[in-house]
Amino acid sequence: TSSSKLLIKGGTVVNAHHQEVADVYVEDGIIIAVEPNIKVGDDVAVLDATGKYVMPGGIDPHTHLAFEFMGTEAVDDFFTGQAAALAGGTTMHIDFVIPVNGSLTAGFESYEKKAKKSCMDYGFHMAITKWDEVVSQEMEIMVKEKGINSFKFFLAYKGALMISDELLLQGLKKCKSLGALAMVHAENGDAVFEGQERMIELGITGPEGHALSRPAVLEGEATSRAIRLASFVNTPLYVVHVMSIDAMEEIAKARKAGQKVIGEPVVSGLVLDESGLWDPDFVTAAKYVMSPPIRPSGHDKALQAALSTGILQLVGTDHCVFNSTQKAIGIDDFRKIPNGVNGIEERMHLVWNTMVESGQISVSDYVRITSTECARIFNIYPKKGAILAGSDADIIILNPNASFEISAKDHHSKTDTNVYDGKKGKGKVEVTIAGGRIVWENNELKVVPGAGKYIEMPAFNYLFDGIHKADAQYLSSIRAPVIRFQSST
Amino acid sequence: TSSSKLLIKGGTVVNAHHQEVADVYVEDGIIIAVEPNIKVGDDVAVLDATGKYVMPGGIDPHTHLAFEFMGTEAVDDFFTGQAAALAGGTTMHIDFVIPVNGSLTAGFESYEKKAKKSCMDYGFHMAITKWDEVVSQEMEIMVKEKGINSFKFFLAYKGALMISDELLLQGLKKCKSLGALAMVHAENGDAVFEGQERMIELGITGPEGHALSRPAVLEGEATSRAIRLASFVNTPLYVVHVMSIDAMEEIAKARKAGQKVIGEPVVSGLVLDESGLWDPDFVTAAKYVMSPPIRPSGHDKALQAALSTGILQLVGTDHCVFNSTQKAIGIDDFRKIPNGVNGIEERMHLVWNTMVESGQISVSDYVRITSTECARIFNIYPKKGAILAGSDADIIILNPNASFEISAKDHHSKTDTNVYDGKKGKGKVEVTIAGGRIVWENNELKVVPGAGKYIEMPAFNYLFDGIHKADAQYLSSIRAPVIRFQSST
Amino acid sequence: TSSSKLLIKGGTVVNAHHQEVADVYVEDGIIIAVEPNIKVGDDVAVLDATGKYVMPGGIDPHTHLAFEFMGTEAVDDFFTGQAAALAGGTTMHIDFVIPVNGSLTAGFESYEKKAKKSCMDYGFHMAITKWDEVVSQEMEIMVKEKGINSFKFFLAYKGALMISDELLLQGLKKCKSLGALAMVHAENGDAVFEGQERMIELGITGPEGHALSRPAVLEGEATSRAIRLASFVNTPLYVVHVMSIDAMEEIAKARKAGQKVIGEPVVSGLVLDESGLWDPDFVTAAKYVMSPPIRPSGHDKALQAALSTGILQLVGTDHCVFNSTQKAIGIDDFRKIPNGVNGIEERMHLVWNTMVESGQISVSDYVRITSTECARIFNIYPKKGAILAGSDADIIILNPNASFEISAKDHHSKTDTNVYDGKKGKGKVEVTIAGGRIVWENNELKVVPGAGKYIEMPAFNYLFDGIHKADAQYLSSIRAPVIRFQSST
Amino acid sequence: TSSSKLLIKGGTVVNAHHQEVADVYVEDGIIIAVEPNIKVGDDVAVLDATGKYVMPGGIDPHTHLAFEFMGTEAVDDFFTGQAAALAGGTTMHIDFVIPVNGSLTAGFESYEKKAKKSCMDYGFHMAITKWDEVVSQEMEIMVKEKGINSFKFFLAYKGALMISDELLLQGLKKCKSLGALAMVHAENGDAVFEGQERMIELGITGPEGHALSRPAVLEGEATSRAIRLASFVNTPLYVVHVMSIDAMEEIAKARKAGQKVIGEPVVSGLVLDESGLWDPDFVTAAKYVMSPPIRPSGHDKALQAALSTGILQLVGTDHCVFNSTQKAIGIDDFRKIPNGVNGIEERMHLVWNTMVESGQISVSDYVRITSTECARIFNIYPKKGAILAGSDADIIILNPNASFEISAKDHHSKTDTNVYDGKKGKGKVEVTIAGGRIVWENNELKVVPGAGKYIEMPAFNYLFDGIHKADAQYLSSIRAPVIRFQSST
Ligand SMILES: [Zn+2]
Ligand SMILES: [Zn+2]
Ligand SMILES: [Zn+2]
Ligand SMILES: [Zn+2]
Ligand SMILES: [Zn+2]
Ligand SMILES: [Zn+2]
Ligand SMILES: [Zn+2]
Ligand SMILES: [Zn+2]
């Protein structure tokens, strides 16, 4: 079915705002029509979706393909990682560009190269790891010329990616002026460092030391800090990988007070608990090492609950995979285990099973948290994240009565382990269409390196609506400056 | 322009999920197309909306037209109240049917009659004020045959509308089984009664006694109670007229824990504070009397903040107007002042000014909280609440650069006072289209009694998605019943 | 050692406000001196307490001895229950008088009789289970003539002890006027009834149905309600047996806002979780049945934390024991299992081990939560609850280096089971002195029926300080009544 | 009355744990007896306290006498400041030693000299403003040899006193090992700096800019951070000058979770609001400048409420006075206005009036929050903070029926303004006795330079009880290190 014309018949078409039984007609990678009983000619490939859900392909807001980190490089590159994504119903991802020697431009060029082999669409966030006038100017270039509309700041990874409050404040101000979204990895890096030393002193060198060295209180701290500094600057904030009740409650509190804060749980935090890190097999334990760490049981359910009611808004993966050999670099010291878990392929299934099958959310909500809200936040809706006439033809067909089972043996990622190994559930992505082409059908991938396009993401997403009015309102309310005299005393 | 064909050109069409510059073409009361550059023939009336917002007409989820209450009857009936609504950009409302001598059927028939003169579309909620097998069966009839999908329970108005926890629990169960939404007026009626007596004993008989006799703590109590009982039954809950931080925080807490609770602030609670009740002129003070009472300053801003981030979901009015003569029934005793304030005409303007002009929300959010979310909750989206092909042609054109000023002198309600008298701001509804007809243009109303239709609202709205799955998941988790033996002792 | 003169030498004397190494000299049941190096004659019995803690005997604020309930009577009466108490270091308890056919006077007389055989001091709370003018007058008599300063209201036990909000409000007002402390059993009785029916319908008739029928949300609800009604009346409130995070958080919130609310966790809630109710042996499962039920794991730790910092104030037991035969009344229906667990003997040891040995509180805190705060709240400090010259000689000597182990086989209660069976820990009450007599030493009890005295408890405890000033301040702040005119309209 | 023997007759003696009518006999600066009807010889001066309260002299935990700061020196030195204190019923204070060029020893010596002229007892905290091995060793010397048991860390005053999270963590660890209490000034210094620049850019250079540049959100942030880092280290924390709801709520939350956090509101935060900073007279506005700033109305009442129930524990002043001339250094730039307000003389009266007269707390509570709890925290109870035999004779007689009025004209501080100017209320300290000498009587001071003694404060206060046990419990709970194998992959 390499035809450029495609009709999906009889399915329940689900958008975040509405669902209805309708046909979807696609031409040249674009959705042309969404309505009942579309008639087409013989040159059109027809997919029967009766009894199934036709939904926007997933968008993963948080991945690290081909990421050079902790002395090694993630084994899923822009081809293998994306292939895995497509097999799991995700048709776009947004990856984090890391500056090269502090240069944003060099970092961007490096990722442009990495992404050449892409088989699905992708966008970029950019990390900010130092601060000077050059960085500030490069941020402007990235936004105005390169299609980047978000910058990430690390409050952890002391000595490496971590930045100070002073830099964070400058970064928040710059983001605000550019209409770019500030993102944070929220853990207190100084305390994590302290916690790591403490574990080593206690003789705890295995993966369980990873969890013990950076407990949820440190994620809560940094989340609280980032939120309040963003409030002080009055700019929107996006908290990546919300892993704990501590962090979630800070977000809930800020939102209750009207602050524009986005919270992104990731699949591992939603469906796993930390117990795997205590596994006596190092290979098993090490595969769960990511930061912030997967938390004790209880955090998962609380994050699901907050996600179900919109306290948290969208689901990412932080997909960043290192194989067993790479993970074994830290065999004697958990601090050296490359951080990262898989998820780009499993996200759509696990979120369906955990959230929809459990009765916590509706199918429309599912579309919202896996696709639409991401597209809205990164300002590419309704090109992405919708089944509407004019939208890109990134579409999945999910059969709610079929089942899935996850296994490291037959997943499509290049890594040799899978943190979700053995998980099964209801709901199966039977067809994935990316850019109008069927790339996954009958459990077979048909992907082409280079077929993926870079998606430029414009600045000033909806979270920026009203920010200048709010600033003006604030200024008009402070009754300052006061005209003064000085009494004699 | 009584033409049945209408083209709105060049405006920014705003839906809750998206906004774009487009034309809107209407025929026979239905939106036929929403796209750029629609070409039409000469028989089509054309409205130029360049530089203006074209949005779904407002839906007011909470009104009491022609309400017989406290020995008198609200002066706005289904014609005058709706005319006022249309002048203010609201094109549909949902009114509360009150049973007649406990009979739901008689109540429904009574309201059918009242509504005959309607000039805009309307739906009904139904109040439940006693409990027996007949009521239970009538609830089923209302849902299955009469197009009602919500029932309201009063935790206040002791001796009149108030029901006990026992009845509330029965009601919640029945609602759940019917797929109908349970609504509560949340104040502790026993304590309100006590508070009223206390005021009279203190010699406080004026309108300020109304506020003092039923402080926010009693609204917080009843909100907490209703939410937890709904959680216990596992059925969605809608809290009407959230007037206080106390109530809002209960809703926020429940939502954070994943509970399906809807919170409806009303315009008076969002933009006023209680100070008017202390006005030395009885006429002025009495016009602010509604229940729960308008709260001290601070509650308003907190409700706005919670509304801006989706902790609260939609805005009503509790429009229920009594004129100065009626209000004067309580000249010597605030307990006899008929409860109610206006708002059906002012809601759209005041929410725009308070929420959008202040920078707290986007225009899409505005559509969501004034129209779309109401349509979704009461299960009539996208017939209502959207500017989409196929939707009813209930449309407003709002000019963000024009201004409004509210005055009792020239408002369209039949009452002689206005709690928003003198309020002004930016944003003006210049045109209202209801059922495809222009009913408000150039500050002139063109309304026809009987033009309004009753909108049946089907059961099982989106809040019910997953409820049975969640119940099943719960039952499968409790490890019960346990198979037992009895040891000898 | 039946001498009336006693010297305790060399111990660390611990009061809630201070600890120091000192001797304690006792004569005729009263502490005469507390100072280092007291010299005494040969007629004085001397106890060496070197290396041990000398502390006020425990006071259990919550017991039900010889309680007629659910068709049977608790097996520990005022002799056996008190003997058990003394063996465990508790030297006074406060029991709940239950009215007889609604008569407080008859109830009081009944309990006077039950208590004749007392071997240790005791006081009474009184339950209020209906409301009329007679009850109101009897409350006054109880306070002014009978030495009762607290009244308990049941929000659960529908059809039996449960009272309505209307009655609760009347009761709170009466308590306030008498300077008596209002206490509540906080569960929503209507919902519990509903939950019980639900379980039976599901075929869940065993003890696990007890927990499932009345989840923590219903305790949170009633606690919220009682606290807010007490706030509305502005009178202090004492919440008995705080069993859940839900209830504790309501108390914490109220206290943060300055409200005078006391929270009493009980030992079972602090150290157990609900899992025992799932035991396949009915005898084992049934022994854990009490109301509110013991909660899932997690609530225990949270209650300990709140207790450690004064969010909760003192520890009771709700000691109310029914033997296996009595519990078996409910073999086919958990609703018929007599509610109650033991604890009067175990409280002092378990609190020591759980709170002090775990490092959560200091020894002074231990005295405060097991004895002093109870004496203060019920207004008998420093006669009780202190090791001060002039105080009653109710004293324990606890050896922090010795160990305890709890067993149904050798406990002193008359019942044949023990919910703490098998629990062991550090800290052992080696000597108990009650009224100046050594009643427990070398693991032997020497108790005498009739040796215990009724302790009258005066009204207006410290929680009432300032209440009238606060009322006056409130009244002076409300700017009411407003002097009014009525404009012509 | 320079006699060394003194009898206070007939008053109500109030301690934090109890009050009773009794006489108090003093000899040579020590309380010898507290009991009814003490008989004394003619050589004993007798004070009649009938109808009055006899209470421990106040202890101010937070002062800055003779503080060299912002280029000038506070005008109240150890003589004038203490004289003012005594006139207001405060008989001891604890001042903050500031290191000299980072040297703790030099700082201590400098303050020893400043304090030579003391007319009342005093103790020292020590600030830590940098970190190296020398500082660490000096901390040990201060604790073990110099009688200091608390160290303060500034999270604000960027470029001057502020320290980083890394240093704070080191400091917390060192404090824990020494049994010394860590204190924090909690504001985010980086953000304050940013806020100050923002104000200057806006042309807001007056005192209102002080408040606007460092809003409560920044105090909340730093309080959250300090608390969580202290939790991570598991050491007690003392938050100085809690000025906002934001900070208070962080403390409340931590305490609810069992953390040992002390919150110290100061008088200015309890009884004032920020409006003074907007006064058009610079002299008036500038006198209110302190950090964290006095907050908008509403924070004061919330802090009072939290104080009344023990969420906050004791009241300080941050007394640090600069006269109008000194304040005028910042006439053109609020950043240069020396920070500080008065309070050492007014604290006891204002706390009485605000907390006791308003009905929020009992007289015993008053003693606790103004004196006893401070003595307990700094480990000098019951030498200080109690009216007990053996305690220092630091005593006040307060007449609850007399009145006070505060005026800059007749206060005893050397500064020429008073932030409480014009405040009046009930309750008057009529007599102050310090070290057994009557120093304030009939509105006259009789103070002697050099009469005050340095009070050494031992380490390991009650907050450290159980910390090692809790650490051990934690370590035994973590199931680590895990013994591992490595599977082949
Ligand atoms: Zn990260
Ligand atoms: Zn990441
Ligand atoms: Zn209502
Ligand atoms: Zn209403
Ligand atoms: Zn009970
Ligand atoms: Zn009980
Ligand atoms: Zn400070
Ligand atoms: Zn200070």
PDB file of all heavy atoms in Angstrom, chain B residues 62 64 152 154 157 185 240-241 291-292 318, ligand 3:
ATOM      1  N   HIS B  62     -26.821  27.467  34.317  1.00  0.00           N
ATOM      2  CA  HIS B  62     -27.464  27.605  35.625  1.00  0.00           C
ATOM      3  C   HIS B  62     -28.341  28.855  35.666  1.00  0.00           C
ATOM      4  O   HIS B  62     -27.875  29.957  35.943  1.00  0.00           O
ATOM      5  CB  HIS B  62     -26.368  27.680  36.705  1.00  0.00           C
ATOM      6  CG  HIS B  62     -26.892  27.627  38.101  1.00  0.00           C
ATOM      7  ND1 HIS B  62     -26.103  27.260  39.175  1.00  0.00           N
ATOM      8  CD2 HIS B  62     -28.115  27.884  38.628  1.00  0.00           C
ATOM      9  CE1 HIS B  62     -26.818  27.298  40.294  1.00  0.00           C
ATOM     10  NE2 HIS B  62     -28.035  27.683  39.982  1.00  0.00           N
ATOM     11  N   HIS B  64     -32.621  30.308  36.566  1.00  0.00           N
ATOM     12  CA  HIS B  64     -33.947  30.060  37.160  1.00  0.00           C
ATOM     13  C   HIS B  64     -34.926  31.083  36.593  1.00  0.00           C
ATOM     14  O   HIS B  64     -35.193  32.103  37.215  1.00  0.00           O
ATOM     15  CB  HIS B  64     -33.896  30.195  38.686  1.00  0.00           C
ATOM     16  CG  HIS B  64     -32.947  29.253  39.365  1.00  0.00           C
ATOM     17  ND1 HIS B  64     -33.283  27.964  39.701  1.00  0.00           N
ATOM     18  CD2 HIS B  64     -31.661  29.418  39.772  1.00  0.00           C
ATOM     19  CE1 HIS B  64     -32.260  27.372  40.294  1.00  0.00           C
ATOM     20  NE2 HIS B  64     -31.262  28.225  40.356  1.00  0.00           N
ATOM     21  N   LYS B 152     -30.413  17.774  40.462  1.00  0.00           N
ATOM     22  CA  LYS B 152     -29.768  18.621  41.468  1.00  0.00           C
ATOM     23  C   LYS B 152     -30.308  18.328  42.850  1.00  0.00           C
ATOM     24  O   LYS B 152     -31.516  18.191  43.045  1.00  0.00           O
ATOM     25  CB  LYS B 152     -30.016  20.087  41.128  1.00  0.00           C
ATOM     26  CG  LYS B 152     -29.372  21.069  42.102  1.00  0.00           C
ATOM     27  CD  LYS B 152     -29.616  22.494  41.642  1.00  0.00           C
ATOM     28  CE  LYS B 152     -29.061  23.536  42.575  1.00  0.00           C
ATOM     29  NZ  LYS B 152     -29.455  24.888  42.138  1.00  0.00           N
ATOM     30  N   PHE B 154     -30.206  19.687  46.867  1.00  0.00           N
ATOM     31  CA  PHE B 154     -29.934  20.851  47.694  1.00  0.00           C
ATOM     32  C   PHE B 154     -29.512  20.395  49.089  1.00  0.00           C
ATOM     33  O   PHE B 154     -30.281  19.719  49.777  1.00  0.00           O
ATOM     34  CB  PHE B 154     -31.181  21.726  47.825  1.00  0.00           C
ATOM     35  CG  PHE B 154     -31.590  22.418  46.558  1.00  0.00           C
ATOM     36  CD1 PHE B 154     -32.417  21.797  45.630  1.00  0.00           C
ATOM     37  CD2 PHE B 154     -31.128  23.705  46.279  1.00  0.00           C
ATOM     38  CE1 PHE B 154     -32.789  22.436  44.452  1.00  0.00           C
ATOM     39  CE2 PHE B 154     -31.500  24.360  45.103  1.00  0.00           C
ATOM     40  CZ  PHE B 154     -32.334  23.713  44.183  1.00  0.00           C
ATOM     41  N   TYR B 157     -31.353  25.111  52.307  1.00  0.00           N
ATOM     42  CA  TYR B 157     -32.800  25.400  52.285  1.00  0.00           C
ATOM     43  C   TYR B 157     -33.561  24.381  53.144  1.00  0.00           C
ATOM     44  O   TYR B 157     -34.452  23.663  52.672  1.00  0.00           O
ATOM     45  CB  TYR B 157     -33.342  25.433  50.845  1.00  0.00           C
ATOM     46  CG  TYR B 157     -32.691  26.493  49.990  1.00  0.00           C
ATOM     47  CD1 TYR B 157     -32.009  26.160  48.826  1.00  0.00           C
ATOM     48  CD2 TYR B 157     -32.756  27.849  50.351  1.00  0.00           C
ATOM     49  CE1 TYR B 157     -31.400  27.133  48.046  1.00  0.00           C
ATOM     50  CE2 TYR B 157     -32.150  28.827  49.559  1.00  0.00           C
ATOM     51  CZ  TYR B 157     -31.473  28.465  48.414  1.00  0.00           C
ATOM     52  OH  TYR B 157     -30.873  29.420  47.645  1.00  0.00           O
ATOM     53  N   HIS B 185     -26.225  21.829  45.311  1.00  0.00           N
ATOM     54  CA  HIS B 185     -26.100  23.135  45.953  1.00  0.00           C
ATOM     55  C   HIS B 185     -25.496  22.825  47.319  1.00  0.00           C
ATOM     56  O   HIS B 185     -26.153  22.207  48.157  1.00  0.00           O
ATOM     57  CB  HIS B 185     -27.475  23.792  46.086  1.00  0.00           C
ATOM     58  CG  HIS B 185     -27.448  25.062  46.903  1.00  0.00           C
ATOM     59  ND1 HIS B 185     -28.042  26.235  46.490  1.00  0.00           N
ATOM     60  CD2 HIS B 185     -26.908  25.360  48.110  1.00  0.00           C
ATOM     61  CE1 HIS B 185     -27.871  27.178  47.403  1.00  0.00           C
ATOM     62  NE2 HIS B 185     -27.189  26.668  48.396  1.00  0.00           N
ATOM     63  N   VAL B 240     -22.621  23.153  41.787  1.00  0.00           N
ATOM     64  CA  VAL B 240     -23.091  24.415  41.221  1.00  0.00           C
ATOM     65  C   VAL B 240     -22.606  25.585  42.078  1.00  0.00           C
ATOM     66  O   VAL B 240     -22.231  25.423  43.227  1.00  0.00           O
ATOM     67  CB  VAL B 240     -24.642  24.459  41.108  1.00  0.00           C
ATOM     68  CG1 VAL B 240     -25.167  23.261  40.318  1.00  0.00           C
ATOM     69  CG2 VAL B 240     -25.305  24.534  42.462  1.00  0.00           C
ATOM     70  N   HIS B 241     -22.604  26.738  41.504  1.00  0.00           N
ATOM     71  CA  HIS B 241     -22.208  28.003  42.154  1.00  0.00           C
ATOM     72  C   HIS B 241     -21.150  27.842  43.253  1.00  0.00           C
ATOM     73  O   HIS B 241     -21.422  28.049  44.419  1.00  0.00           O
ATOM     74  CB  HIS B 241     -23.410  28.807  42.651  1.00  0.00           C
ATOM     75  CG  HIS B 241     -24.473  28.083  43.421  1.00  0.00           C
ATOM     76  ND1 HIS B 241     -24.207  27.185  44.399  1.00  0.00           N
ATOM     77  CD2 HIS B 241     -25.821  28.177  43.357  1.00  0.00           C
ATOM     78  CE1 HIS B 241     -25.332  26.747  44.919  1.00  0.00           C
ATOM     79  NE2 HIS B 241     -26.332  27.317  44.292  1.00  0.00           N
ATOM     80  N   SER B 291     -27.681  32.779  47.349  1.00  0.00           N
ATOM     81  CA  SER B 291     -27.083  31.722  48.162  1.00  0.00           C
ATOM     82  C   SER B 291     -26.377  30.715  47.263  1.00  0.00           C
ATOM     83  O   SER B 291     -26.949  30.308  46.262  1.00  0.00           O
ATOM     84  CB  SER B 291     -28.157  31.003  48.984  1.00  0.00           C
ATOM     85  OG  SER B 291     -28.712  31.876  49.927  1.00  0.00           O
ATOM     86  N   PRO B 292     -25.184  30.267  47.670  1.00  0.00           N
ATOM     87  CA  PRO B 292     -24.384  30.776  48.772  1.00  0.00           C
ATOM     88  C   PRO B 292     -24.097  32.253  48.562  1.00  0.00           C
ATOM     89  O   PRO B 292     -24.090  32.723  47.429  1.00  0.00           O
ATOM     90  CB  PRO B 292     -23.086  29.960  48.680  1.00  0.00           C
ATOM     91  CG  PRO B 292     -23.402  28.779  47.829  1.00  0.00           C
ATOM     92  CD  PRO B 292     -24.494  29.207  46.925  1.00  0.00           C
ATOM     93  N   ASP B 318     -26.561  31.478  37.784  1.00  0.00           N
ATOM     94  CA  ASP B 318     -27.638  31.379  38.786  1.00  0.00           C
ATOM     95  C   ASP B 318     -28.607  32.558  38.616  1.00  0.00           C
ATOM     96  O   ASP B 318     -29.172  33.037  39.592  1.00  0.00           O
ATOM     97  CB  ASP B 318     -27.051  31.332  40.193  1.00  0.00           C
ATOM     98  CG  ASP B 318     -27.977  30.606  41.180  1.00  0.00           C
ATOM     99  OD1 ASP B 318     -29.057  30.139  40.776  1.00  0.00           O
ATOM    100  OD2 ASP B 318     -27.620  30.533  42.373  1.00  0.00           O
TER     101      ASP B 318
HETATM  102 ZN    ZN E   3     -28.373  27.045  44.591  1.00  0.00          ZN
END
